Amino acid sequence: MMGMEEEKLKILELRVKDLISSKQLIISILIVLVGGISGLFFIENSLPRNFLICFGIFYALILIKDFNNTNSEIRKYLYKNKKGGKNG
């Protein structure tokens, strides 16, 4: 019985660590993407530049959405016990 509980706890710990590393990866990609988008503003105005800016903003919004989903899933795992009741 106790082994099963420890195994579930270990799986939960690994899942949280995986979510945290995913969160860090999303932040890193988002930083590079925003830097690239802002760099495009220094290029002469053209159709490919405008397309890349729109595509970059779209992709950045998708990454922000993924970041928020990852954050809420981490909170769900970490604070699941607090919703059940007050334990001192």
Side-chain angles (χ1 to χ4, degrees), residues 79-88:
Y79 301 115
K80 182 170 48 172
N81 293 335
K82 287 189 177 185
K83 288 183 180 179
K86 293 184 178 179
N87 291 334

Side-chain angles (χ1 to χ4, degrees), residues 24-73:
Q24 291 170 341
L25 181 64
I26 290 170
I27 290 172
S28 298
I29 293 172
L30 195 57
I31 289 170
V32 170
L33 184 64
V34 168
I37 292 170
S38 61
L40 286 173
F41 286 106
F42 294 107
I43 297 175
E44 185 179 318
N45 195 6
S46 65
L47 184 64
R49 174 196 153 217
N50 294 336
F51 173 76
L52 288 174
I53 288 173
C54 290
F55 183 73
I57 290 171
F58 175 73
Y59 192 67
L61 292 174
I62 290 174
L63 284 175
I64 290 170
K65 182 180 176 249
D66 286 346
F67 176 79
N68 284 335
N69 289 343
T70 304
N71 241 3
S72 64
E73 194 170 346

